[in-house]
Amino acid sequence: MAELKAEPFAFPLRRDAVALVVIDMQRDFAEEGGFGASLGNDVSRVTRIVPDVKRLIEGFRAAGLPVIHTMECHRPDLSDLPPAKRDRGAPALRIGDDGPMGRILIAGEPGTAILPELAPVDGEIVIEKPGKGAFYATPLGDILKDKGIAQLVFAGVTTEVCVQTTMREANDRGYECLLVEEATESYFPEFKAAAIAMIRAQGAIVGWTARLDAVLEAIADA
Ligand code: C5J
């Protein structure tokens, strides 16, 4: 076991049982014309974390540790899209509509793809998820069990929606969870700060948070 400097106290890193989960680093959340922009958000906030997410992914790959990617997306026939999700709010484009990067948040469309700089390499698992949490209606739980994974390091977007939802799902399932602060982002800086505070409050009630350099150092040494 290696000690990783984290908040609210050191994370007991287990090299034999840790995986990185990169949540929804998709064009639809990071580029003009996608889902995030259609909701009126400043997507440049997401683009800015790409170099740090890349460093994290490359650190895990160099250490020979598993990297799992998720994508929020729906079937082309929308059979996994609850009307309550499609109808919510007043976006310029709804899920399933035709946009400049293809149909919004539909599996296989160009806009739904993971950003090319962060694209999965051969052998990495990609989870397509219809919900905000990555455990709901996906094989993620079974895959982690098969691989003997007990600790999850998280990156991706958005901090308070899909990242935090997945961390809470994982925490309830018994995983030790850690969020890398520079490798996650929200369209709302105050929501990112609040999510980080909520996660590590009350003695890591949802999990730990740590700086990118501390994570890279610990996984290289482990
Ligand atoms: C959202 C996500 N925010 N990946 N999705 O709708 O956080």
Side-chain angles (χ1 to χ4, degrees):
M1 194 185 78
E3 283 223 334
L4 192 168
K5 188 168 173 282
E7 296 290 342
F9 47 84
F11 182 80
L13 181 71
R14 285 178 50 199
R15 196 182 197 291
D16 60 332
V18 69
L20 173 65
V21 181
V22 184
I23 303 280
D24 301 358
M25 289 301 295
Q26 297 163 245
R27 297 183 65 202
D28 255 318
F29 294 107
E31 294 185 21
E32 294 300 338
F35 183 61
S38 83
L39 290 161
N41 295 307
D42 171 10
V43 291
S44 69
R45 293 190 59 80
V46 170
T47 320
R48 281 203 291 273
I49 66 163
V50 169
D52 283 335
V53 179
K54 190 170 158 64
R55 280 183 68 208
L56 181 63
I57 292 174
E58 286 173 352
F60 268 75
R61 286 178 184 152
L65 299 174
V67 178
I68 297 168
H69 306 257
T70 73
M71 298 168 65
E72 182 174 349
C73 60
H74 295 273
R75 297 186 194 126
D77 66 3
L78 307 184
S79 56
D80 59 356
L81 175 62
K85 182 174 180 183
R86 180 172 153 86
D87 296 344
R88 194 80 49 83
L93 290 168
R94 289 188 189 278
I95 297 172
D97 287 350
D98 275 316
M101 297 192 287
R103 291 180 71 201
I104 298 284
L105 282 190
I106 298 300
E109 296 288 334
T112 309
I114 292 173
L115 292 165
E117 305 91 310
L118 307 178
V121 297
D122 277 353
E124 289 178 354
I125 290 158
V126 180
I127 302 286
E128 296 190 347
K129 62 182 186 57
K132 302 304 181 192
F135 286 83
Y136 167 69
T138 76
L140 180 59
D142 291 337
I143 290 170
L144 296 176
K145 203 175 288 171
D146 280 355
K147 292 187 171 299
I149 302 292
Q151 298 186 328
L152 299 173
V153 172
F154 283 93
V157 295
T158 61
T159 318
E160 79 284 9
V161 184
C162 291
V163 175
Q164 188 176 200
T165 303
T166 304
M167 284 186 79
R168 287 175 183 273
E169 287 182 325
N171 187 48
D172 283 349
R173 287 166 172 78
Y175 294 94
E176 291 181 306
C177 299
L178 179 142
L179 176 61
V180 185
E181 294 177 29
E182 301 95 318
T184 183
E185 195 48 270
S186 168
Y187 299 121
F188 307 91
E190 66 278 22
F191 290 176
K192 173 176 174 176
I196 286 174
M198 278 185 240
I199 284 163
R200 66 191 186 200
Q202 303 176 79
I205 198 154
V206 177
W208 287 254
T209 71
R211 306 295 295 175
L212 175 58
D213 283 343
V215 176
L216 292 175
E217 209 172 288
I219 59 173
D221 287 352

